């Protein structure tokens, strides 16, 4: 992802510090990029993000098998390993990146209480600023908001 970003900057003159949008599994990618390359990220908008790899992907799924392979884990080491974004919140928060989260409280795919709610609570408990819009009664879809004005304001601010 970083090599691609550098390529876009060099070849097309795109921004050094883009606004990252991470939807669902893309939230995992955007968060991790911002964690490792905060100097290359302006703001982070996460929508129903995967932030807890013990919550998603579901055990026994193709995606879970791919996760184990990608991280070189067995089921046993998976249980012991703290590698999810929610396990790295202290480190992530030190980067002081502006963050907006939009999520549904009835998300059955990426459960809100096991993912972004943990991040939001961490920020609030530590007196850190985070934008948060919780869609009452909403599942994993539809993403975003019917009226995207709050998202646009976050980006423009």
């Amino acid at each position: 992802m970083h090599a691609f970003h550098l390529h876009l900057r060099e070849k097309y003159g795109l921004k050094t510090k883009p606004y990252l949008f991470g939807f669902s599994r893309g939230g995992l990618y955007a968060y991790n990029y911002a964690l490792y390359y905060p100097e290359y990220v302006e703001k982070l908008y996460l929508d129903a993000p995967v932030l807890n790899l013990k919550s998603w992907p579901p055990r026994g799924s193709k995606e879970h098998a791919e996760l184990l392979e990608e991280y070189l884990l067995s089921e046993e080491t998976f249980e012991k390993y703290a590698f999810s974004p929610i396990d790295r919140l202290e480190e992530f928060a030190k980067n002081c990146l502006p963050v907006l989260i939009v999520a549904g409280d009835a998300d059955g795919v990426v459960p809100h209480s096991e993912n972004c709610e943990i991040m939001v609570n961490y920020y609030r408990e530590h007196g850190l600023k985070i934008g948060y819009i919780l869609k009452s009664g909403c599942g994993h879809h539809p993403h975003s908001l019917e009226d995207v004005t709050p998202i646009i304001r976050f980006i423009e601010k």
Side-chain angles (χ1 to χ4, degrees):
M1 194 169 165
H2 186 57
F4 181 64
H5 176 221
L6 295 177
H7 168 75
L8 292 175
R9 283 182 46 218
E10 182 180 313
K11 184 158 182 160
Y12 300 103
L14 297 183
K15 275 183 84 156
T16 298
K17 293 178 75 171
Y19 307 113
L20 294 185
F21 285 39
F23 288 65
S24 193
R25 186 186 329 191
L28 172 67
Y29 309 147
Y31 178 101
N32 282 334
Y33 188 81
L35 174 66
Y36 290 105
Y37 300 100
E39 69 275 19
Y40 292 101
V41 177
E42 184 74 28
K43 294 181 179 183
L44 193 59
Y45 162 46
L46 302 173
D47 195 299
V50 171
L51 298 176
N52 181 354
L53 293 171
K54 292 185 175 158
S55 171
W56 187 96
R59 302 279 166 82
S61 68
K62 175 185 168 205
E63 291 90 351
H64 182 72
E66 291 170 347
L67 179 144
L68 294 177
E69 184 178 333
E70 182 68 28
Y71 286 86
L72 305 173
L73 299 170
S74 66
E75 283 293 346
E76 184 180 328
T77 55
F78 174 77
E79 286 303 320
K80 297 175 183 176
Y81 189 48
F83 59 98
S84 292
I86 61 164
D87 300 317
R88 317 267 324 260
L89 289 171
E90 181 179 359
E91 181 182 358
F92 182 86
K94 287 178 182 175
N95 294 325
C96 300
L97 293 172
V99 178
L100 171 64
I101 291 179
V102 173
D105 65 359
D107 191 333
V109 177
V110 180
H112 165 262
S113 64
E114 300 171 11
N115 288 273
C116 60
E117 184 176 73
I118 294 171
M119 182 174 180
V120 169
N121 287 342
Y122 178 89
Y123 269 64
R124 289 179 175 170
E125 288 167 8
H126 291 85
L128 304 169
K129 187 176 179 185
I130 189 166
Y132 181 49
I133 301 171
L134 185 60
K135 301 183 293 184
S136 180
C138 186
H140 193 65
H141 295 104
H143 284 295
S144 194
L145 301 169
E146 284 187 35
D147 177 5
V148 297
T149 303
I151 299 166
I152 292 169
R153 283 191 185 129
F154 168 74
I155 296 301
E156 291 180 334
K157 192 175 183 182

mmCIF file with all atom_site columns, all heavy atoms in Angstrom, residues 41-59:
data_model
loop_
_atom_site.group_PDB
_atom_site.id
_atom_site.type_symbol
_atom_site.label_atom_id
_atom_site.label_alt_id
_atom_site.label_comp_id
_atom_site.label_asym_id
_atom_site.label_entity_id
_atom_site.label_seq_id
_atom_site.pdbx_PDB_ins_code
_atom_site.Cartn_x
_atom_site.Cartn_y
_atom_site.Cartn_z
_atom_site.occupancy
_atom_site.B_iso_or_equiv
_atom_site.pdbx_formal_charge
_atom_site.auth_seq_id
_atom_site.auth_comp_id
_atom_site.auth_asym_id
_atom_site.auth_atom_id
_atom_site.pdbx_PDB_model_num
ATOM 1   N N   . VAL A 1 41 ? -0.616  10.396  6.212  1.00 0.00 ? 41 VAL A N   1
ATOM 2   C CA  . VAL A 1 41 ? -2.078  10.379  6.329  1.00 0.00 ? 41 VAL A CA  1
ATOM 3   C C   . VAL A 1 41 ? -2.551  11.688  6.945  1.00 0.00 ? 41 VAL A C   1
ATOM 4   O O   . VAL A 1 41 ? -2.046  12.113  7.981  1.00 0.00 ? 41 VAL A O   1
ATOM 5   C CB  . VAL A 1 41 ? -2.558  9.190   7.189  1.00 0.00 ? 41 VAL A CB  1
ATOM 6   C CG1 . VAL A 1 41 ? -4.068  9.219   7.365  1.00 0.00 ? 41 VAL A CG1 1
ATOM 7   C CG2 . VAL A 1 41 ? -2.112  7.865   6.565  1.00 0.00 ? 41 VAL A CG2 1
ATOM 8   N N   . GLU A 1 42 ? -3.523  12.311  6.302  1.00 0.00 ? 42 GLU A N   1
ATOM 9   C CA  . GLU A 1 42 ? -4.097  13.556  6.824  1.00 0.00 ? 42 GLU A CA  1
ATOM 10  C C   . GLU A 1 42 ? -5.236  13.271  7.802  1.00 0.00 ? 42 GLU A C   1
ATOM 11  O O   . GLU A 1 42 ? -5.274  13.816  8.896  1.00 0.00 ? 42 GLU A O   1
ATOM 12  C CB  . GLU A 1 42 ? -4.617  14.407  5.655  1.00 0.00 ? 42 GLU A CB  1
ATOM 13  C CG  . GLU A 1 42 ? -5.139  15.766  6.051  1.00 0.00 ? 42 GLU A CG  1
ATOM 14  C CD  . GLU A 1 42 ? -4.026  16.732  6.406  1.00 0.00 ? 42 GLU A CD  1
ATOM 15  O OE1 . GLU A 1 42 ? -2.913  16.597  5.885  1.00 0.00 ? 42 GLU A OE1 1
ATOM 16  O OE2 . GLU A 1 42 ? -4.282  17.635  7.222  1.00 0.00 ? 42 GLU A OE2 1
ATOM 17  N N   . LYS A 1 43 ? -6.182  12.433  7.375  1.00 0.00 ? 43 LYS A N   1
ATOM 18  C CA  . LYS A 1 43 ? -7.352  12.102  8.186  1.00 0.00 ? 43 LYS A CA  1
ATOM 19  C C   . LYS A 1 43 ? -7.794  10.691  7.846  1.00 0.00 ? 43 LYS A C   1
ATOM 20  O O   . LYS A 1 43 ? -7.474  10.169  6.776  1.00 0.00 ? 43 LYS A O   1
ATOM 21  C CB  . LYS A 1 43 ? -8.517  13.061  7.907  1.00 0.00 ? 43 LYS A CB  1
ATOM 22  C CG  . LYS A 1 43 ? -8.263  14.481  8.330  1.00 0.00 ? 43 LYS A CG  1
ATOM 23  C CD  . LYS A 1 43 ? -9.454  15.357  8.051  1.00 0.00 ? 43 LYS A CD  1
ATOM 24  C CE  . LYS A 1 43 ? -9.151  16.779  8.520  1.00 0.00 ? 43 LYS A CE  1
ATOM 25  N NZ  . LYS A 1 43 ? -10.291 17.655  8.332  1.00 0.00 ? 43 LYS A NZ  1
ATOM 26  N N   . LEU A 1 44 ? -8.584  10.114  8.752  1.00 0.00 ? 44 LEU A N   1
ATOM 27  C CA  . LEU A 1 44 ? -9.038  8.751   8.579  1.00 0.00 ? 44 LEU A CA  1
ATOM 28  C C   . LEU A 1 44 ? -10.543 8.684   8.807  1.00 0.00 ? 44 LEU A C   1
ATOM 29  O O   . LEU A 1 44 ? -11.027 9.033   9.880  1.00 0.00 ? 44 LEU A O   1
ATOM 30  C CB  . LEU A 1 44 ? -8.307  7.869   9.593  1.00 0.00 ? 44 LEU A CB  1
ATOM 31  C CG  . LEU A 1 44 ? -8.340  6.385   9.471  1.00 0.00 ? 44 LEU A CG  1
ATOM 32  C CD1 . LEU A 1 44 ? -7.763  5.924   8.139  1.00 0.00 ? 44 LEU A CD1 1
ATOM 33  C CD2 . LEU A 1 44 ? -7.548  5.759   10.608 1.00 0.00 ? 44 LEU A CD2 1
ATOM 34  N N   . TYR A 1 45 ? -11.269 8.248   7.776  1.00 0.00 ? 45 TYR A N   1
ATOM 35  C CA  . TYR A 1 45 ? -12.710 8.014   7.890  1.00 0.00 ? 45 TYR A CA  1
ATOM 36  C C   . TYR A 1 45 ? -12.926 6.510   7.819  1.00 0.00 ? 45 TYR A C   1
ATOM 37  O O   . TYR A 1 45 ? -12.596 5.871   6.826  1.00 0.00 ? 45 TYR A O   1
ATOM 38  C CB  . TYR A 1 45 ? -13.466 8.743   6.771  1.00 0.00 ? 45 TYR A CB  1
ATOM 39  C CG  . TYR A 1 45 ? -14.874 8.251   6.537  1.00 0.00 ? 45 TYR A CG  1
ATOM 40  C CD1 . TYR A 1 45 ? -15.755 8.033   7.589  1.00 0.00 ? 45 TYR A CD1 1
ATOM 41  C CD2 . TYR A 1 45 ? -15.345 8.015   5.252  1.00 0.00 ? 45 TYR A CD2 1
ATOM 42  C CE1 . TYR A 1 45 ? -17.038 7.579   7.366  1.00 0.00 ? 45 TYR A CE1 1
ATOM 43  C CE2 . TYR A 1 45 ? -16.631 7.576   5.013  1.00 0.00 ? 45 TYR A CE2 1
ATOM 44  C CZ  . TYR A 1 45 ? -17.471 7.359   6.074  1.00 0.00 ? 45 TYR A CZ  1
ATOM 45  O OH  . TYR A 1 45 ? -18.746 6.901   5.853  1.00 0.00 ? 45 TYR A OH  1
ATOM 46  N N   . LEU A 1 46 ? -13.450 5.942   8.910  1.00 0.00 ? 46 LEU A N   1
ATOM 47  C CA  . LEU A 1 46 ? -13.696 4.512   8.994  1.00 0.00 ? 46 LEU A CA  1
ATOM 48  C C   . LEU A 1 46 ? -15.189 4.261   9.053  1.00 0.00 ? 46 LEU A C   1
ATOM 49  O O   . LEU A 1 46 ? -15.893 4.849   9.874  1.00 0.00 ? 46 LEU A O   1
ATOM 50  C CB  . LEU A 1 46 ? -13.024 3.929   10.246 1.00 0.00 ? 46 LEU A CB  1
ATOM 51  C CG  . LEU A 1 46 ? -11.515 4.135   10.340 1.00 0.00 ? 46 LEU A CG  1
ATOM 52  C CD1 . LEU A 1 46 ? -11.004 3.672   11.705 1.00 0.00 ? 46 LEU A CD1 1
ATOM 53  C CD2 . LEU A 1 46 ? -10.808 3.405   9.211  1.00 0.00 ? 46 LEU A CD2 1
ATOM 54  N N   . ASP A 1 47 ? -15.670 3.379   8.194  1.00 0.00 ? 47 ASP A N   1
ATOM 55  C CA  . ASP A 1 47 ? -17.103 3.094   8.105  1.00 0.00 ? 47 ASP A CA  1
ATOM 56  C C   . ASP A 1 47 ? -17.321 1.607   8.346  1.00 0.00 ? 47 ASP A C   1
ATOM 57  O O   . ASP A 1 47 ? -16.876 0.777   7.550  1.00 0.00 ? 47 ASP A O   1
ATOM 58  C CB  . ASP A 1 47 ? -17.611 3.496   6.718  1.00 0.00 ? 47 ASP A CB  1
ATOM 59  C CG  . ASP A 1 47 ? -19.110 3.570   6.650  1.00 0.00 ? 47 ASP A CG  1
ATOM 60  O OD1 . ASP A 1 47 ? -19.746 2.524   6.888  1.00 0.00 ? 47 ASP A OD1 1
ATOM 61  O OD2 . ASP A 1 47 ? -19.642 4.651   6.355  1.00 0.00 ? 47 ASP A OD2 1
ATOM 62  N N   . ALA A 1 48 ? -17.976 1.261   9.455  1.00 0.00 ? 48 ALA A N   1
ATOM 63  C CA  . ALA A 1 48 ? -18.198 -0.129  9.863  1.00 0.00 ? 48 ALA A CA  1
ATOM 64  C C   . ALA A 1 48 ? -16.894 -0.921  9.758  1.00 0.00 ? 48 ALA A C   1
ATOM 65  O O   . ALA A 1 48 ? -16.830 -1.974  9.140  1.00 0.00 ? 48 ALA A O   1
ATOM 66  C CB  . ALA A 1 48 ? -19.308 -0.774  9.039  1.00 0.00 ? 48 ALA A CB  1
ATOM 67  N N   . PRO A 1 49 ? -15.816 -0.398  10.368 1.00 0.00 ? 49 PRO A N   1
ATOM 68  C CA  . PRO A 1 49 ? -14.490 -0.979  10.148 1.00 0.00 ? 49 PRO A CA  1
ATOM 69  C C   . PRO A 1 49 ? -14.232 -2.267  10.927 1.00 0.00 ? 49 PRO A C   1
ATOM 70  O O   . PRO A 1 49 ? -14.687 -2.438  12.052 1.00 0.00 ? 49 PRO A O   1
ATOM 71  C CB  . PRO A 1 49 ? -13.563 0.122   10.670 1.00 0.00 ? 49 PRO A CB  1
ATOM 72  C CG  . PRO A 1 49 ? -14.340 0.753   11.778 1.00 0.00 ? 49 PRO A CG  1
ATOM 73  C CD  . PRO A 1 49 ? -15.771 0.753   11.280 1.00 0.00 ? 49 PRO A CD  1
ATOM 74  N N   . VAL A 1 50 ? -13.459 -3.142  10.314 1.00 0.00 ? 50 VAL A N   1
ATOM 75  C CA  . VAL A 1 50 ? -12.918 -4.309  11.011 1.00 0.00 ? 50 VAL A CA  1
ATOM 76  C C   . VAL A 1 50 ? -11.727 -3.806  11.827 1.00 0.00 ? 50 VAL A C   1
ATOM 77  O O   . VAL A 1 50 ? -10.731 -3.354  11.260 1.00 0.00 ? 50 VAL A O   1
ATOM 78  C CB  . VAL A 1 50 ? -12.455 -5.403  10.025 1.00 0.00 ? 50 VAL A CB  1
ATOM 79  C CG1 . VAL A 1 50 ? -11.708 -6.506  10.766 1.00 0.00 ? 50 VAL A CG1 1
ATOM 80  C CG2 . VAL A 1 50 ? -13.632 -5.973  9.250  1.00 0.00 ? 50 VAL A CG2 1
ATOM 81  N N   . LEU A 1 51 ? -11.854 -3.861  13.139 1.00 0.00 ? 51 LEU A N   1
ATOM 82  C CA  . LEU A 1 51 ? -10.769 -3.439  14.022 1.00 0.00 ? 51 LEU A CA  1
ATOM 83  C C   . LEU A 1 51 ? -10.393 -4.540  15.006 1.00 0.00 ? 51 LEU A C   1
ATOM 84  O O   . LEU A 1 51 ? -9.509  -4.351  15.832 1.00 0.00 ? 51 LEU A O   1
ATOM 85  C CB  . LEU A 1 51 ? -11.173 -2.172  14.794 1.00 0.00 ? 51 LEU A CB  1
ATOM 86  C CG  . LEU A 1 51 ? -11.471 -0.940  13.935 1.00 0.00 ? 51 LEU A CG  1
ATOM 87  C CD1 . LEU A 1 51 ? -11.962 0.206   14.815 1.00 0.00 ? 51 LEU A CD1 1
ATOM 88  C CD2 . LEU A 1 51 ? -10.255 -0.531  13.131 1.00 0.00 ? 51 LEU A CD2 1
ATOM 89  N N   . ASN A 1 52 ? -11.068 -5.673  14.901 1.00 0.00 ? 52 ASN A N   1
ATOM 90  C CA  . ASN A 1 52 ? -10.836 -6.781  15.819 1.00 0.00 ? 52 ASN A CA  1
ATOM 91  C C   . ASN A 1 52 ? -10.857 -8.078  15.009 1.00 0.00 ? 52 ASN A C   1
ATOM 92  O O   . ASN A 1 52 ? -11.912 -8.566  14.630 1.00 0.00 ? 52 ASN A O   1
ATOM 93  C CB  . ASN A 1 52 ? -11.922 -6.799  16.890 1.00 0.00 ? 52 ASN A CB  1
ATOM 94  C CG  . ASN A 1 52 ? -11.739 -7.917  17.892 1.00 0.00 ? 52 ASN A CG  1
ATOM 95  O OD1 . ASN A 1 52 ? -10.862 -8.763  17.759 1.00 0.00 ? 52 ASN A OD1 1
ATOM 96  N ND2 . ASN A 1 52 ? -12.584 -7.911  18.902 1.00 0.00 ? 52 ASN A ND2 1
ATOM 97  N N   . LEU A 1 53 ? -9.683  -8.627  14.760 1.00 0.00 ? 53 LEU A N   1
ATOM 98  C CA  . LEU A 1 53 ? -9.590  -9.820  13.924 1.00 0.00 ? 53 LEU A CA  1
ATOM 99  C C   . LEU A 1 53 ? -10.072 -11.081 14.631 1.00 0.00 ? 53 LEU A C   1
ATOM 100 O O   . LEU A 1 53 ? -10.196 -12.125 14.002 1.00 0.00 ? 53 LEU A O   1
ATOM 101 C CB  . LEU A 1 53 ? -8.158  -9.990  13.414 1.00 0.00 ? 53 LEU A CB  1
ATOM 102 C CG  . LEU A 1 53 ? -7.748  -8.896  12.432 1.00 0.00 ? 53 LEU A CG  1
ATOM 103 C CD1 . LEU A 1 53 ? -6.260  -8.962  12.129 1.00 0.00 ? 53 LEU A CD1 1
ATOM 104 C CD2 . LEU A 1 53 ? -8.571  -8.970  11.162 1.00 0.00 ? 53 LEU A CD2 1
ATOM 105 N N   . LYS A 1 54 ? -10.387 -10.983 15.900 1.00 0.00 ? 54 LYS A N   1
ATOM 106 C CA  . LYS A 1 54 ? -11.007 -12.111 16.590 1.00 0.00 ? 54 LYS A CA  1
ATOM 107 C C   . LYS A 1 54 ? -12.532 -12.026 16.493 1.00 0.00 ? 54 LYS A C   1
ATOM 108 O O   . LYS A 1 54 ? -13.235 -12.941 16.887 1.00 0.00 ? 54 LYS A O   1
ATOM 109 C CB  . LYS A 1 54 ? -10.528 -12.175 18.033 1.00 0.00 ? 54 LYS A CB  1
ATOM 110 C CG  . LYS A 1 54 ? -9.047  -12.543 18.067 1.00 0.00 ? 54 LYS A CG  1
ATOM 111 C CD  . LYS A 1 54 ? -8.507  -12.746 19.429 1.00 0.00 ? 54 LYS A CD  1
ATOM 112 C CE  . LYS A 1 54 ? -7.059  -13.216 19.277 1.00 0.00 ? 54 LYS A CE  1
ATOM 113 N NZ  . LYS A 1 54 ? -6.262  -12.986 20.434 1.00 0.00 ? 54 LYS A NZ  1
ATOM 114 N N   . SER A 1 55 ? -13.021 -10.937 15.942 1.00 0.00 ? 55 SER A N   1
ATOM 115 C CA  . SER A 1 55 ? -14.443 -10.745 15.714 1.00 0.00 ? 55 SER A CA  1
ATOM 116 C C   . SER A 1 55 ? -14.808 -11.029 14.253 1.00 0.00 ? 55 SER A C   1
ATOM 117 O O   . SER A 1 55 ? -15.866 -11.576 13.960 1.00 0.00 ? 55 SER A O   1
ATOM 118 C CB  . SER A 1 55 ? -14.807 -9.298  16.075 1.00 0.00 ? 55 SER A CB  1
ATOM 119 O OG  . SER A 1 55 ? -16.106 -8.977  15.689 1.00 0.00 ? 55 SER A OG  1
ATOM 120 N N   . TRP A 1 56 ? -13.951 -10.617 13.356 1.00 0.00 ? 56 TRP A N   1
ATOM 121 C CA  . TRP A 1 56 ? -14.117 -10.858 11.922 1.00 0.00 ? 56 TRP A CA  1
ATOM 122 C C   . TRP A 1 56 ? -12.751 -11.124 11.336 1.00 0.00 ? 56 TRP A C   1
ATOM 123 O O   . TRP A 1 56 ? -11.804 -10.416 11.682 1.00 0.00 ? 56 TRP A O   1
ATOM 124 C CB  . TRP A 1 56 ? -14.745 -9.650  11.213 1.00 0.00 ? 56 TRP A CB  1
ATOM 125 C CG  . TRP A 1 56 ? -15.063 -9.974  9.790  1.00 0.00 ? 56 TRP A CG  1
ATOM 126 C CD1 . TRP A 1 56 ? -16.277 -10.391 9.319  1.00 0.00 ? 56 TRP A CD1 1
ATOM 127 C CD2 . TRP A 1 56 ? -14.183 -9.972  8.658  1.00 0.00 ? 56 TRP A CD2 1
ATOM 128 N NE1 . TRP A 1 56 ? -16.187 -10.654 7.979  1.00 0.00 ? 56 TRP A NE1 1
ATOM 129 C CE2 . TRP A 1 56 ? -14.902 -10.401 7.540  1.00 0.00 ? 56 TRP A CE2 1
ATOM 130 C CE3 . TRP A 1 56 ? -12.844 -9.671  8.482  1.00 0.00 ? 56 TRP A CE3 1
ATOM 131 C CZ2 . TRP A 1 56 ? -14.354 -10.523 6.281  1.00 0.00 ? 56 TRP A CZ2 1
ATOM 132 C CZ3 . TRP A 1 56 ? -12.280 -9.795  7.220  1.00 0.00 ? 56 TRP A CZ3 1
ATOM 133 C CH2 . TRP A 1 56 ? -13.038 -10.207 6.142  1.00 0.00 ? 56 TRP A CH2 1
ATOM 134 N N   . PRO A 1 57 ? -12.566 -12.085 10.485 1.00 0.00 ? 57 PRO A N   1
ATOM 135 C CA  . PRO A 1 57 ? -13.562 -12.923 9.822  1.00 0.00 ? 57 PRO A CA  1
ATOM 136 C C   . PRO A 1 57 ? -14.029 -14.076 10.714 1.00 0.00 ? 57 PRO A C   1
ATOM 137 O O   . PRO A 1 57 ? -13.329 -14.468 11.648 1.00 0.00 ? 57 PRO A O   1
ATOM 138 C CB  . PRO A 1 57 ? -12.799 -13.473 8.617  1.00 0.00 ? 57 PRO A CB  1
ATOM 139 C CG  . PRO A 1 57 ? -11.369 -13.455 8.997  1.00 0.00 ? 57 PRO A CG  1
ATOM 140 C CD  . PRO A 1 57 ? -11.209 -12.321 9.971  1.00 0.00 ? 57 PRO A CD  1
ATOM 141 N N   . PRO A 1 58 ? -15.213 -14.609 10.404 1.00 0.00 ? 58 PRO A N   1
ATOM 142 C CA  . PRO A 1 58 ? -15.746 -15.706 11.213 1.00 0.00 ? 58 PRO A CA  1
ATOM 143 C C   . PRO A 1 58 ? -14.857 -16.948 11.155 1.00 0.00 ? 58 PRO A C   1
ATOM 144 O O   . PRO A 1 58 ? -14.299 -17.261 10.111 1.00 0.00 ? 58 PRO A O   1
ATOM 145 C CB  . PRO A 1 58 ? -17.109 -15.998 10.577 1.00 0.00 ? 58 PRO A CB  1
ATOM 146 C CG  . PRO A 1 58 ? -17.384 -14.883 9.640  1.00 0.00 ? 58 PRO A CG  1
ATOM 147 C CD  . PRO A 1 58 ? -16.102 -14.215 9.319  1.00 0.00 ? 58 PRO A CD  1
ATOM 148 N N   . ARG A 1 59 ? -14.721 -17.601 12.282 1.00 0.00 ? 59 ARG A N   1
ATOM 149 C CA  . ARG A 1 59 ? -13.957 -18.852 12.340 1.00 0.00 ? 59 ARG A CA  1
ATOM 150 C C   . ARG A 1 59 ? -14.545 -19.856 11.354 1.00 0.00 ? 59 ARG A C   1
ATOM 151 O O   . ARG A 1 59 ? -15.758 -19.939 11.184 1.00 0.00 ? 59 ARG A O   1
ATOM 152 C CB  . ARG A 1 59 ? -13.993 -19.452 13.738 1.00 0.00 ? 59 ARG A CB  1
ATOM 153 C CG  . ARG A 1 59 ? -13.476 -18.554 14.822 1.00 0.00 ? 59 ARG A CG  1
ATOM 154 C CD  . ARG A 1 59 ? -11.946 -18.591 14.866 1.00 0.00 ? 59 ARG A CD  1
ATOM 155 N NE  . ARG A 1 59 ? -11.402 -17.533 15.655 1.00 0.00 ? 59 ARG A NE  1
ATOM 156 C CZ  . ARG A 1 59 ? -11.290 -17.535 16.973 1.00 0.00 ? 59 ARG A CZ  1
ATOM 157 N NH1 . ARG A 1 59 ? -11.696 -18.551 17.657 1.00 0.00 ? 59 ARG A NH1 1
ATOM 158 N NH2 . ARG A 1 59 ? -10.760 -16.508 17.587 1.00 0.00 ? 59 ARG A NH2 1
#
